Amino acid sequence: MWRVFGWRLFGYRVACVWVPCGVIERLARHIMEDISDQNIMVLCVLKGGYKFCCDLVEHIKAIGRSADKYLETRVEFIRLKSYLVGRDNDQSTEDLQIIGSQDLSFLRGKNVLIVEAIVDTGKTINALLKHVETFEPKMVKVTALLVKRVPNMVENLPDYVGFEIPNRFVVGYALDYNEYFRDLNVSPDPPSEAF
Ligand SMILES: O=P(O)(O)OC[C@H]1O[C@H](OP(=O)(O)OP(=O)(O)O)[C@H](O)[C@@H]1O
């Protein structure tokens, strides 16, 4: 289930994501079922992933508390850039750019959960997975809140997907359009202008 409401901006149809109630809790439950009673190293993909990551970790902790289980969660961040948004360019670039340290040796031997806001072409997550695997983690799982339904959909879907959306440019909930609109609030209540 998904909902977006949108408008036109510089000729683009931009949509604001609204996260339905229970989606993040469901993801947290599935993650807990797979990796409960273990430590988990959460790798949050910035900038777009920060809101989702924050809410997901809160749900994981809450589920753990209510089940009297403790899943030790450590959160690390990686900043990636794949889009150059300009007058003629809102596509992923071919190369993944890691901003900051590329050394992820703290992942060695750990249960890693990569938290990504959106998978569009899949280039970002595929390149990041390859990079992460070079540091020999014990296990790697990927969660994405949104996966775009596009013609050449990514082959290896994330292990835990919030929901699929149509091929629209989405903003809000930390997703941006040229750094605008990350701060748009998403409400658990249906937006008034659904389309
Ligand atoms: O599946 P792909 O086509 O590779 O695209 C997905 C990536 O694009 C966005 O990040 P962006 O590069 O815009 O950086 P940001 O999160 O800092 O806005 C998004 O947050 C994903 O990381």
Side-chain angles (χ1 to χ4, degrees):
M1 181 182 173
W2 61 274
R3 288 280 183 92
V4 290
F5 61 98
W7 63 96
R8 284 200 172 272
L9 181 78
F10 308 131
Y12 292 93
R13 194 164 190 190
V14 177
C16 179
V17 65
W18 166 64
V19 184
C21 280
V23 165
I24 297 180
E25 187 185 344
R26 169 177 57 81
L27 292 174
R29 283 193 188 284
H30 290 163
I31 292 164
M32 285 290 277
E33 280 164 19
D34 288 353
I35 43 183
S36 61
D37 298 326
Q38 294 180 28
N39 298 341
I40 180 168
M41 175 75 74
V42 175
L43 186 63
C44 171
V45 180
L46 296 175
K47 294 183 188 175
Y50 88 87
K51 272 291 292 170
F52 173 44
C53 182
C54 186
D55 291 346
L56 182 68
V57 169
E58 283 308 309
H59 276 289
I60 287 173
K61 289 195 314 197
I63 292 166
R65 275 197 301 274
S66 62
D68 226 9
K69 278 185 193 167
Y70 176 64
L71 181 66
E72 189 187 341
T73 47
R74 179 174 153 190
V75 183
E76 295 286 344
F77 300 90
I78 185 163
R79 183 154 181 225
L80 306 174
K81 198 79 200 155
S82 69
Y83 280 100
L84 293 174
V85 183
R87 221 187 315 176
D88 304 315
N89 189 348
D90 64 351
Q91 302 299 309
S92 278
T93 52
E94 281 301 317
D95 297 316
L96 179 79
Q97 191 189 348
I98 296 181
I99 301 170
S101 172
Q102 301 205 2
D103 179 13
L104 305 181
S105 50
F106 54 84
L107 300 181
R108 184 156 289 117
K110 298 287 194 319
N111 300 300
V112 178
L113 177 69
I114 298 176
V115 178
E116 173 63 289
I118 183 166
V119 173
D120 183 348
T121 63
K123 285 177 192 163
T124 303
I125 200 64
N126 285 335
L128 178 60
L129 264 172
K130 275 189 202 142
H131 186 63
V132 163
E133 273 157 9
T134 62
F135 296 95
E136 300 176 344
K138 184 173 163 194
M139 179 197 78
V140 186
K141 298 276 188 188
V142 177
T143 180
L145 179 63
L146 308 174
V147 172
K148 269 196 195 176
R149 224 178 286 128
V150 289
N152 297 317
M153 258 178 100
V154 61
E155 281 175 22
N156 301 316
L157 278 176
D159 301 283
Y160 314 100
V161 175
F163 47 107
E164 285 184 15
I165 59 168
N167 189 9
R168 297 214 182 118
F169 204 95
V170 284
V171 295
Y173 201 61
L175 292 169
D176 73 313
Y177 182 93
N178 232 0
E179 296 301 329
Y180 291 99
F181 310 123
R182 286 195 203 276
D183 58 335
L184 286 182
N185 281 334
V186 287
S187 158
D189 300 312
S192 53
E193 288 181 79
F195 74 90

